[in-house]
Amino acid sequence: MKYRVAVLILITAMIAGPAQAGLFKDTVDLADLGQVDAAALQSLQETEFGVFLAQVRLNAAKAAERRAGGGVKTAKRVLDAEELDLKAATAEIKAAEANQDTQRREAAAAVLTGAQEDLRTAKLLIAWQDQEKESAQVRIRMAKAAVDLAEARRDAARVQLLKQEKAPGAVKYSPADFEKNVTAREKEHGKAVRKSEAEADKAAKARAAWEKVAKNEFVPDEE
């Protein structure tokens, strides 16, 4: 059990891989942590797991963005179908007028009205799904910022431990620099969170607008 955190550190480093390397030029070398007793590494458990959890959430955000993209494609197919129905209804009215068939024209006019409302609903569906996709993309950026923050906190904790345990490799790192990096990442993450909340609010409003029309709860025009 005492080696559990050491294994977690190694797994986290493997998950991060080359793509995550270099985000901060003074990222702690795992070889330096090897100079610390395994029992002392237990204190890193929370920050090491924090990186893993942030990476999991980033992948979940990417999966959600792919689903949102599928919603947009479906909405566009619905819009295409409604546009075809509108064209057919318009053509039927013209044919009825050409034949001076009043009864046929009245029936076609009713169909046209329905087609127009269906098209309006389809356009609102597109607007909602487009906003959902935008919101999902912003959540990815927020999740990436969360990974950067988690990594910064992890590295700051590693440096602190190296200093605390007086490990030979501790002289290579400046705790103040790592803490500055944490502060910078916190600010970036905060901005990303606020942006994500704003986009989520827009998506909620777009959905409400679609649902209102879809349920035939039309808002009267303002005078």
Side-chain angles (χ1 to χ4, degrees), residues 53-75:
L53 185 60
Q55 290 168 341
V56 169
R57 288 173 175 167
L58 172 57
N59 281 279
K62 290 179 178 179
E65 193 273 338
R66 289 193 293 271
R67 291 194 296 271
V72 171
K73 291 180 180 179
T74 298

Side-chain angles (χ1 to χ4, degrees), residues 15-170:
I15 291 175
Q20 295 296 332
L23 286 176
F24 185 50
K25 64 180 180 179
D26 293 325
T27 297
V28 179
D29 189 339
L30 291 181
D32 293 327
L33 284 175
Q35 301 166 352
V36 177
D37 184 82
L41 292 176
Q42 290 285 346
S43 64
L44 298 178
Q45 183 172 357
E46 183 176 348
T47 53
E48 297 295 334
F49 183 73
V51 174
F52 170 74
L53 185 60
Q55 290 168 341
V56 169
R57 288 173 175 167
L58 172 57
N59 281 279
K62 290 179 178 179
E65 193 273 338
R66 289 193 293 271
R67 291 194 296 271
V72 171
K73 291 180 180 179
T74 298
K76 287 181 177 179
R77 287 196 293 269
V78 171
L79 180 63
D80 289 343
E82 299 301 349
E83 287 177 339
L84 289 174
D85 287 345
L86 182 63
K87 288 180 180 179
T90 301
E92 175 63 12
I93 284 184
K94 290 181 179 179
E97 290 175 343
N99 293 326
Q100 297 183 343
D101 188 332
T102 302
Q103 186 174 359
R104 179 182 176 184
R105 189 191 183 290
E106 289 177 353
V111 172
L112 177 61
T113 298
Q116 289 171 334
E117 291 298 341
D118 289 343
L119 182 61
R120 178 190 176 195
T121 303
K123 288 181 178 179
L124 287 171
L125 177 61
I126 284 283
W128 167 34
Q129 291 301 314
D130 280 340
Q131 186 57 52
E132 284 287 355
K133 184 175 181 180
E134 176 63 24
S135 180
Q137 291 170 342
V138 171
R139 283 197 298 273
I140 288 177
R141 294 195 286 272
M142 180 184 68
K144 287 180 178 177
V147 170
D148 290 346
L149 175 56
E151 289 179 340
R153 287 172 173 168
R154 174 203 63 195
D155 287 341
R158 288 177 176 180
V159 170
Q160 183 180 12
L161 180 63
L162 288 173
K163 296 291 184 180
Q164 176 184 311
E165 295 297 312
K166 296 181 174 57

Side-chain angles (χ1 to χ4, degrees), residues 24 152-153 156-157 160 174-184 186:
F24 185 50
R153 287 172 173 168
Q160 183 180 12
S174 168
D177 288 344
F178 281 84
E179 289 301 329
K180 286 179 181 178
N181 189 49
V182 170
T183 299
E186 285 175 341

